[in-house]
Amino acid sequence: MAIKTSVDIGGVTIKNPVMTASGTFGYGEEFAPYTDLRALGAVVVKGLSLKPRPGNPTPRTVETPSGMLNAIGLQNVGVEPFIEEKLPYLRDIGVPAIANIFGESVDEYRAVAERLEGCKGIAAIEINISCPNVKKGGLQFGTDPNSARTVVEAVKAVTSLPVMTKLSPNVTDIRAMALAVEDGGTDSISLINTITGMVVDIDKRRPVLANGVGGLSGPAIRPVAVRMVCEVASVVRVPVIGMGGIMNGDDALQFIIAGATAVQVGTASFIDPDSAAKVVSGIESYMKKYNIEDINELVGSIKLD
Amino acid sequence: MAIKTSVDIGGVTIKNPVMTASGTFGYGEEFAPYTDLRALGAVVVKGLSLKPRPGNPTPRTVETPSGMLNAIGLQNVGVEPFIEEKLPYLRDIGVPAIANIFGESVDEYRAVAERLEGCKGIAAIEINISCPNVKKGGLQFGTDPNSARTVVEAVKAVTSLPVMTKLSPNVTDIRAMALAVEDGGTDSISLINTITGMVVDIDKRRPVLANGVGGLSGPAIRPVAVRMVCEVASVVRVPVIGMGGIMNGDDALQFIIAGATAVQVGTASFIDPDSAAKVVSGIESYMKKYNIEDINELVGSIKLD
Amino acid sequence: MARAEVLYNRALSPYHFLMGLSYTGVRPAPGQFVMLRISSGSDPLLRRPFGVFSLLEDERGQVTGITILYRVVGRGTQIMSEFGEGQAVDLLGPLGNGFPAPKEGERTILVAGGMGLAPLNLMALVYPESKLIFGARDGVEASVIDASKEYGLLPSVVTEDGSEGEKGLVTDLLSSALEGLDPASVVVHSCGPMGMLRAVSALMLEMGVKTYVSLENSMACGLGACLGCAVTCTGNGGEGEYRFVCSDGPVFESTDIDWARIRDGH
Amino acid sequence: MARAEVLYNRALSPYHFLMGLSYTGVRPAPGQFVMLRISSGSDPLLRRPFGVFSLLEDERGQVTGITILYRVVGRGTQIMSEFGEGQAVDLLGPLGNGFPAPKEGERTILVAGGMGLAPLNLMALVYPESKLIFGARDGVEASVIDASKEYGLLPSVVTEDGSEGEKGLVTDLLSSALEGLDPASVVVHSCGPMGMLRAVSALMLEMGVKTYVSLENSMACGLGACLGCAVTCTGNGGEGEYRFVCSDGPVFESTDIDWARIRDGH
Ligand SMILES: Cc1cc2nc3c(=O)[nH]c(=O)nc-3n(C[C@H](O)[C@H](O)[C@H](O)COP(=O)(O)OP(=O)(O)OC[C@H]3O[C@@H](n4cnc5c(N)ncnc54)[C@H](O)[C@@H]3O)c2cc1C
Ligand SMILES: Cc1cc2nc3c(=O)[nH]c(=O)nc-3n(C[C@H](O)[C@H](O)[C@H](O)COP(=O)(O)OP(=O)(O)OC[C@H]3O[C@@H](n4cnc5c(N)ncnc54)[C@H](O)[C@@H]3O)c2cc1C
Ligand SMILES: Cc1cc2nc3c(=O)[nH]c(=O)nc-3n(C[C@H](O)[C@H](O)[C@H](O)COP(=O)(O)O)c2cc1C
Ligand SMILES: Cc1cc2nc3c(=O)[nH]c(=O)nc-3n(C[C@H](O)[C@H](O)[C@H](O)COP(=O)(O)O)c2cc1C
Ligand code: FES
Ligand code: FES
């Protein structure tokens, strides 16, 4: 049986629905010794800001039950060196790169997007709105529907690339956030980013992470992520990209059945650098087992009664 | 060394800071064969409504990585049979019972609280606001600060018992919820209730739980719970009671150091029915190790820098 | 709660195992179950329920251990299948209410489907005069019956594909077993997949034979505390009500179950 | 990534173990490390990093395995200590950059504190002309040095409480070892607790001896991808910068580290 795994994730078609998640796969090259990058639908690179950012002091990560917290502080080389030094690798081997961008003001988001305009090898922009809006006193763009919409509109105005907007789960109503960014013109919606958490070192009586709090990722958050993807997919028209604790093909299928057109694999790549490729083959095995010719038949096939 | 573990949780003093969490310890009696109930600070009973509630169809529970989802649907005998049939057991053995109450309208909350007025053996009322407000079209009391404040005020108006209000973590800003219920007059604040999640059965292509979604509890959510307790403790004056994934004394100490005056043990009791008693002795060992004479010295002792 | 130790962990097929566990508490009655903790960490988090297949006794007849018969279906049972001798396992039980003891003059027929054999094997050992009927889908599933035969039990066996015993369903064997018997003198005890229990119950209701079924359900606590293992029952004056597999069951009289409101999937 | 098997898992003290693992990949250089997966489930979730203590070779000198020396400090190492022979373990590595190879005429001094012995033992085996200094808090911690002695190494030993070797600190031994040597001809390689590395580095800076330190840090990936294991370095034209223990290290020249901005706790 010939199976079709390619999906349209909003203005761009990728050969299979599996990407790596931003911040968990470096710039791709780091994983080349351990996995076949060409097996992937796309690689979403570490979040890019206008200027390089040093990130937070250490400890930056701590393990939690079936998960981990990270407070990397969005350390990155900055958009310019990314284009010069990091992007060529993925472009040369022919793997679509998705640029994850962030800023502390609408202007900064816009400036990063502008800089990416016309860069060969970039298939789409993913906007990370889980970022403090310094102009609004640190309130996150990702928790306020209006700020989120504004960011999306600003980026859309300066780019010809498809735009994916990545939602934060730290909100009361994820549907409201999704509708706001859809209204702002996003071509697709990805979720979830990490859930804010803390681990206390009871001997030192201070947080383990130097930053105090960090973002929870990994299998622990999967049920929350699946629920939110299901909620969002049921209210928006644009494609939804699901993530949160995906370790294998079966986990990815939960998201796809719940309504995700594609998925991203994050923390799993730390444990097994070949995880994303294994997710691809896991999905294919499932499709063969159930005689599903086109992955799109599965998207949102969940029976809610 | 004589150590003092008793704490004032807002108008009532319990001999140690460890309670069982509502819905995870039945009405106490079920656990008598497996643990010494008298070792506990208090037992919070299964949520009570005015009338008996049948609850949801099965499956009602499903395991997740380091956690579980439940969608029991608040099945309970109703407040009247509770007082007649269940309460006497705890009263007779001298363990303080805390009545967890809920309703689908402010009137129902008030009515349950009224019914509990003057009942011997009840040390406090815990208001579960993670409940759909049918009058407000199913919006949860627990996600809207104004509704939450209204419920607390209504209950406070009819009861002479100390009132603890239990917050839902499914909100953008837990501090705003905490301040609202403090403003409503609550004597203490407990958190967190479960985080909404979903698991999909990929073979049947439907949610595993008959109810679709359920509440995530267990170690998986602990980092989120500790973070929220820390946030709430830093803004309110009333005592905070922390819970979410506490499996042992060390876990409980994370919450206490982060600002909780007391803790509740939930899901852990399913895995080891003696868990809560073990948490008590774990806390005592820690106090001895660090020469802490009064548990209150530890409360909120976290260094955030 | 007791700290048990794995005495042996024998493969009966690639998927089926018989595990002996040291145990010295209350004597488990047929139909009762135990909850095993699979990991000392938090994944898998919850205990797993298993029926008691047989008892191990010392020369004075004191219980020194139990056996459980299990099939690998997921992560927990997969990990269990890798346990070696001496592995420490935390055991909670015996829990629940077993099968009612046969009364004088009663003919007891035990109808087991697949892994439903576990509690009925102990029943057959404790009440040797009962008749044991066992059905399985195929030869692999039927392999567990060897464990019963080793105890000298002489079950009637059917498989759906005829690869072991006769070809057919347990209801076929049950019908023949009842031939010539006074329905009022017979009690059927049954355990197995929901579809089979439904069929057995319907047939026995029709024939007027009192029937008990042992049910399974997702369980978080096993103690009647989480209210997770609810099963829809008739009763409550015809209005219907939930009862709990762990604390009210796992054995129920089949007429107490509201079969119409149960999905066979679980 | 490779599927390794536990060849042996020997207790050196109640808390210290030497584990042999089958391994046939690239030959690990002294100072490189491997990441082991402790559980096939999700708790513990992340791999754990360990230095390579020694290599196992066949008669032709091909690498057939590695050993790791570890101390039980938490859940992961606790579970490891219970691994039996034949246990399958998923191994990622060798990772990171090891110690620079000694140059002609260079005097190599290896300064190990506690578990910091692991990478320096391999260094001492590969470069037998180097001098190994080992310090530990107490006798229990010092027990690991026996594993080095079994390889014929002749370390100088100090303990803080004097229970093994001389009483003192590694810096005492290091000072004596340097007596009469030209500082410019010596290179010190060091691994151990942060406080010790700080002291060794300060002393060697003062004496003008080139020093390399092998650092530890919480690691999620070991591949330079998560950016979790950042360490504050001088450089970037004096502005300071983060470098990564897993991919830039674990071995750094001590003057590259911005010691003032590091907490000793980790
Ligand atoms: C009272 C009782 C007695 C039991 N006795 C036995 C026995 O003697 N031998 C035996 O092999 N099994 C028995 N079971 C079933 C056994 O508990 C499950 O097979 C086991 O918990 C699965 O664990 P797992 O981690 O391998 O699978 P999981 O990964 O948890 O689940 C794998 C699959 O099994 C299904 N499953 C999980 N739990 C149950 C359950 N309780 N009942 C039915 N399906 C389930 C899941 O829905 C899923 O499809 C009994 C169950 C109950 C409630
Ligand atoms: C490059 C490198 C090489 C290492 N080589 C060795 C070695 O050869 N032998 C050895 O015994 N250990 C070594 N370690 C440390 C080892 O990785 C940790 O002891 C181990 O990960 C702890 O796992 P756990 O689950 O037992 O402890 P956890 O429960 O994860 O933690 C228990 C305690 O150990 C601390 N800890 C956890 N990880 C580290 C770490 N990476 N460094 C320092 N402290 C940590 C925690 O903060 C906590 O206080 C090395 C670490 C690194 C980064
Ligand atoms: C170490 C680490 C760094 C991350 N950095 C970013 C980032 O730069 N931008 C972003 O949008 N998300 C970032 N994330 C979030 C992930 O892309 C993903 O949304 C989240 O981890 C949930 O998926 P997972 O459970 O599969 O890891 C990061 C996550 C981790 C663990
Ligand atoms: C099976 C189950 C039933 C619960 N029922 C209630 C309830 O009736 N009322 C309530 O306020 N919380 C209820 N909870 C939430 C717990 O009291 C607790 O807030 C939550 O489980 C987090 O703590 P834990 O991780 O220690 O379990 C229930 C939780 C579980 C797992
Ligand atoms: S399993 Fe918890 S009530 Fe039955
Ligand atoms: S451990 Fe991930 S970058 Fe070093």
Side-chain angles (χ1 to χ4, degrees):
Chain A
M1 190 180 76
I3 59 173
K4 177 176 171 295
T5 54
S6 67
V7 290
D8 177 342
I9 52 165
V12 54
T13 297
I14 52 179
K15 70 174 179 179
N16 68 52
V18 183
M19 305 171 230
T20 57
S22 178
T24 64
F25 208 70
Y27 299 102
E29 196 169 351
E30 295 88 336
F31 285 74
Y34 308 104
T35 191
D36 179 8
L37 295 169
R38 292 184 188 82
L40 306 175
V43 166
V44 183
V45 301
K46 177 72 191 159
L48 300 165
S49 50
L50 194 55
K51 303 272 162 240
R53 279 174 61 114
N56 291 328
T58 48
R60 292 176 167 190
T61 63
V62 59
E63 193 180 66
T64 68
S66 296
M68 64 177 281
L69 291 183
N70 88 79
I72 306 303
L74 293 165
Q75 171 167 6
N76 78 103
V77 295
V79 65
E80 191 71 45
F82 163 73
I83 295 168
E84 304 297 328
E85 296 155 30
K86 305 290 183 182
L87 181 58
Y89 178 82
L90 287 173
R91 182 172 58 217
D92 292 349
I93 63 166
V95 177
I98 296 181
N100 178 284
I101 68 167
F102 69 95
E104 289 183 348
S105 65
V106 175
D107 288 344
E108 196 179 343
Y109 276 101
R110 186 174 14 225
V112 184
E114 269 169 349
R115 184 61 197 82
L116 293 166
E117 188 60 13
C119 286
K120 252 196 81 195
I122 298 184
I125 287 178
E126 180 178 57
I127 312 181
N128 175 6
I129 55 172
S130 306
C131 224
N133 181 344
V134 290
K135 292 227 176 110
K136 279 210 167 180
L139 187 81
Q140 288 202 348
F141 286 103
T143 57
D144 173 35
N146 289 327
S147 309
R149 184 194 296 106
T150 310
V151 170
V152 175
E153 284 167 354
V155 171
K156 277 297 283 182
V158 297
T159 189
S160 60
L161 288 166
V163 168
M164 184 186 299
T165 307
K166 181 166 177 179
L167 301 184
S168 161
N170 300 299
V171 296
T172 307
D173 186 1
I174 194 80
R175 281 165 298 211
M177 294 302 305
L179 290 169
V181 299
E182 183 176 53
D183 195 45
T186 195
D187 299 291
S188 63
I189 294 173
S190 56
L191 72 161
I192 62 173
N193 214 314
T194 55
I195 308 180
T196 311
M198 177 190 274
V199 174
V200 175
D201 182 327
I202 62 169
D203 297 309
K204 301 192 185 127
R205 288 180 218 154
R206 65 175 180 219
V208 171
L209 298 179
N211 185 54
V213 300
L216 183 62
S217 65
I221 67 169
R222 194 193 308 134
V224 180
V226 170
R227 184 261 297 182
M228 288 189 165
V229 163
C230 191
E231 285 179 351
V232 167
S234 71
V235 297
V236 300
R237 290 168 317 260
V238 295
V240 172
I241 291 92
M243 82 197 85
I246 295 176
M247 303 299 281
N248 54 42
D250 286 357
D251 296 344
L253 285 156
Q254 285 199 49
F255 285 86
I256 292 170
I257 292 166
T261 299
V263 295
Q264 293 181 12
V265 176
T267 302
S269 294
F270 299 159
I271 296 133
D272 177 355
D274 193 34
S275 291
K278 284 180 181 152
V279 168
V280 175
S281 49
I283 292 173
E284 286 172 359
S285 306
Y286 177 93
M287 290 174 68
K288 283 177 193 142
K289 177 172 165 197
Y290 286 105
N291 265 302
I292 290 156
E293 286 180 31
D294 184 343
I295 182 92
N296 290 292
E297 292 168 33
L298 280 176
V299 175
S301 60
I302 193 165
K303 292 178 280 287
L304 296 166
D305 43 25
Chain B
M1 189 179 78
I3 59 173
K4 177 176 171 295
T5 55
S6 66
V7 290
D8 176 341
I9 52 165
V12 54
T13 298
I14 53 178
K15 69 173 179 180
N16 67 53
V18 183
M19 305 170 230
T20 57
S22 178
T24 64
F25 209 69
Y27 299 102
E29 196 171 352
E30 296 87 337
F31 285 74
Y34 307 103
T35 192
D36 178 8
L37 295 170
R38 290 184 189 83
L40 306 175
V43 165
V44 183
V45 301
K46 176 75 191 158
L48 299 165
S49 51
L50 194 57
K51 303 273 163 239
R53 280 174 62 114
N56 291 328
T58 47
R60 291 177 169 190
T61 63
V62 60
E63 193 180 66
T64 68
S66 296
M68 63 175 283
L69 291 183
N70 88 79
I72 307 302
L74 293 165
Q75 171 167 5
N76 78 102
V77 296
V79 64
E80 191 70 45
F82 163 72
I83 295 168
E84 303 298 329
E85 295 155 30
K86 305 290 183 183
L87 180 58
Y89 178 82
L90 287 174
R91 183 171 57 216
D92 292 350
I93 64 166
V95 177
I98 296 181
N100 178 282
I101 68 167
F102 69 96
E104 289 182 346
S105 65
V106 175
D107 289 343
E108 196 178 343
Y109 276 102
R110 184 171 18 220
V112 185
E114 270 171 347
R115 185 59 196 84
L116 292 166
E117 187 59 14
C119 285
K120 252 196 80 194
I122 298 185
I125 287 179
E126 180 178 57
I127 312 182
N128 175 5
I129 56 172
S130 307
C131 222
N133 181 344
V134 289
K135 290 224 177 110
K136 279 211 169 180
L139 186 83
Q140 287 202 350
F141 286 104
T143 57
D144 174 32
N146 289 326
S147 309
R149 185 193 296 106
T150 311
V151 170
V152 175
E153 284 167 351
V155 170
K156 278 298 283 183
V158 297
T159 189
S160 59
L161 288 167
V163 169
M164 182 187 300
T165 306
K166 181 167 176 179
L167 302 184
S168 161
N170 300 299
V171 296
T172 306
D173 186 0
I174 194 80
R175 283 166 297 213
M177 294 302 305
L179 289 170
V181 299
E182 183 176 53
D183 194 43
T186 194
D187 299 292
S188 63
I189 295 172
S190 57
L191 72 162
I192 63 174
N193 214 314
T194 56
I195 307 180
T196 311
M198 178 190 273
V199 175
V200 175
D201 182 326
I202 62 169
D203 296 308
K204 301 191 185 128
R205 290 182 215 150
R206 65 175 181 220
V208 170
L209 297 178
N211 187 54
V213 300
L216 184 62
S217 65
I221 67 170
R222 193 193 310 135
V224 180
V226 171
R227 183 261 296 181
M228 288 189 166
V229 163
C230 191
E231 286 180 350
V232 167
S234 71
V235 297
V236 300
R237 289 168 318 258
V238 295
V240 172
I241 291 93
M243 81 195 88
I246 295 176
M247 303 300 280
N248 54 42
D250 286 357
D251 296 344
L253 285 156
Q254 285 199 49
F255 285 86
I256 292 170
I257 292 166
T261 300
V263 296
Q264 293 181 12
V265 176
T267 303
S269 295
F270 299 159
I271 294 132
D272 177 354
D274 193 34
S275 291
K278 285 180 181 150
V279 168
V280 176
S281 48
I283 292 173
E284 286 171 358
S285 306
Y286 177 93
M287 290 174 69
K288 282 176 196 147
K289 177 173 166 197
Y290 286 104
N291 264 304
I292 290 156
E293 286 182 31
D294 183 343
I295 182 91
N296 290 293
E297 293 168 33
L298 281 176
V299 175
S301 59
I302 192 165
K303 293 178 279 286
L304 296 166
D305 43 25
Chain C
M1 248 179 22
R3 202 181 136 91
E5 229 176 64
V6 174
L7 302 172
Y8 54 85
N9 194 12
R10 187 149 62 89
L12 304 173
S13 90
Y15 312 108
H16 297 90
F17 294 79
L18 187 70
M19 184 186 277
L21 289 162
S22 65
Y23 167 84
T24 54
V26 180
R27 175 178 288 261
Q32 286 192 299
F33 66 97
V34 297
M35 300 274 291
L36 298 184
R37 190 160 176 193
I38 309 297
S39 126
S40 60
S42 63
D43 180 53
L45 181 68
L46 302 171
R47 288 172 185 269
R48 300 292 194 263
F50 296 94
V52 178
F53 180 78
S54 70
L55 305 178
L56 307 177
E57 301 178 348
D58 63 14
E59 48 298 341
R60 289 168 307 146
Q62 294 290 320
V63 178
T64 58
I66 63 167
T67 68
I68 61 169
L69 179 74
Y70 65 99
R71 183 164 51 120
V72 173
V73 299
R75 283 229 321 123
T77 45
Q78 175 63 45
I79 294 172
M80 281 170 60
S81 72
E82 292 159 15
F83 282 174
E85 207 186 302
Q87 168 81 42
V89 178
D90 192 332
L91 181 154
L92 183 66
L95 301 169
N97 302 304
F99 297 103
K103 293 196 198 71
E104 178 65 37
E106 215 171 82
R107 300 290 294 259
T108 307
I109 304 182
L110 311 176
V111 185
M115 298 311 293
L117 178 62
L120 293 173
N121 184 74
L122 184 57
M123 190 71 182
L125 292 174
V126 175
Y127 303 104
E129 61 286 1
S130 35
K131 173 163 185 54
L132 177 59
I133 294 171
F134 172 77
R137 209 164 325 201
D138 53 33
V140 177
E141 232 189 51
S143 58
V144 298
I145 197 64
D146 294 340
S148 294
K149 289 181 183 163
E150 284 175 25
Y151 278 99
L153 296 177
L154 300 165
S156 308
V157 177
V158 280
T159 48
E160 288 178 36
D161 67 357
S163 59
E164 186 86 27
E166 290 174 48
K167 178 171 174 146
L169 300 170
V170 285
T171 39
D172 304 334
L173 283 187
L174 180 54
S175 300
S176 344
L178 286 166
E179 261 167 43
L181 295 181
D182 171 11
S185 73
V186 178
V187 175
V188 166
H189 298 288
S190 188
C191 185
M194 230 17 172
M196 181 199 100
L197 296 182
R198 188 190 289 278
V200 167
S201 296
L203 185 66
M204 291 305 94
L205 184 66
E206 206 184 290
M207 298 182 63
V209 175
K210 198 177 182 79
T211 300
Y212 291 89
V213 292
S214 179
L215 302 184
E216 294 191 359
N217 211 332
S218 312
M219 287 188 176
C221 73
L223 302 171
C226 73
L227 311 189
C229 64
V231 57
T232 50
C233 285
T234 56
N236 189 21
E239 274 194 51
E241 62 175 352
Y242 283 117
R243 294 172 70 192
F244 298 98
V245 171
C246 70
S247 49
D248 297 319
V251 177
F252 293 88
E253 191 169 343
S254 76
T255 48
D256 285 349
I257 304 297
D258 184 352
W259 293 98
R261 286 169 63 208
I262 288 174
R263 288 200 219 163
D264 280 4
H266 258 266
Chain D
M1 248 180 19
R3 202 181 136 91
E5 230 176 63
V6 174
L7 302 172
Y8 54 84
N9 195 12
R10 187 151 60 90
L12 304 173
S13 90
Y15 311 107
H16 298 90
F17 294 79
L18 186 70
M19 184 185 278
L21 289 163
S22 64
Y23 167 84
T24 54
V26 180
R27 174 179 290 261
Q32 285 193 300
F33 66 98
V34 297
M35 299 275 289
L36 299 184
R37 192 162 174 191
I38 310 296
S39 126
S40 59
S42 62
D43 179 54
L45 181 67
L46 302 171
R47 287 172 185 271
R48 300 292 193 265
F50 296 94
V52 178
F53 181 78
S54 70
L55 304 178
L56 307 176
E57 303 178 347
D58 63 13
E59 48 298 342
R60 289 169 308 146
Q62 295 290 319
V63 179
T64 59
I66 62 167
T67 68
I68 61 170
L69 180 74
Y70 65 98
R71 182 163 52 119
V72 173
V73 299
R75 283 229 321 120
T77 45
Q78 175 63 43
I79 294 172
M80 281 170 60
S81 72
E82 292 160 16
F83 282 175
E85 205 185 304
Q87 169 81 39
V89 178
D90 192 332
L91 181 154
L92 183 66
L95 302 170
N97 302 304
F99 297 103
K103 293 196 199 70
E104 180 63 40
E106 215 171 83
R107 301 288 294 257
T108 308
I109 304 182
L110 311 176
V111 184
M115 298 311 293
L117 177 63
L120 293 173
N121 184 74
L122 183 57
M123 189 71 183
L125 293 173
V126 175
Y127 304 104
E129 60 286 2
S130 35
K131 171 160 186 55
L132 177 60
I133 293 172
F134 172 78
R137 208 164 326 201
D138 53 33
V140 177
E141 232 189 50
S143 59
V144 298
I145 198 64
D146 294 340
S148 294
K149 291 182 184 163
E150 284 174 26
Y151 279 98
L153 296 178
L154 300 166
S156 308
V157 176
V158 280
T159 48
E160 289 178 35
D161 67 356
S163 59
E164 186 88 28
E166 289 174 49
K167 179 170 172 148
L169 300 170
V170 285
T171 39
D172 304 335
L173 283 187
L174 180 54
S175 301
S176 346
L178 286 165
E179 263 167 41
L181 295 181
D182 171 11
S185 73
V186 179
V187 175
V188 167
H189 298 287
S190 188
C191 186
M194 228 21 169
M196 180 198 101
L197 296 181
R198 186 189 291 276
V200 167
S201 297
L203 185 67
M204 292 304 96
L205 185 66
E206 209 183 289
M207 298 181 64
V209 175
K210 198 176 182 81
T211 300
Y212 291 89
V213 292
S214 179
L215 303 183
E216 295 191 359
N217 211 332
S218 312
M219 288 188 174
C221 73
L223 302 171
C226 74
L227 310 189
C229 63
V231 57
T232 49
C233 285
T234 56
N236 189 20
E239 273 195 51
E241 62 177 351
Y242 283 117
R243 293 173 70 193
F244 298 98
V245 172
C246 69
S247 50
D248 297 318
V251 177
F252 294 88
E253 191 170 341
S254 77
T255 49
D256 285 349
I257 304 296
D258 184 352
W259 294 98
R261 286 170 62 210
I262 288 176
R263 286 199 221 164
D264 280 2
H266 256 268

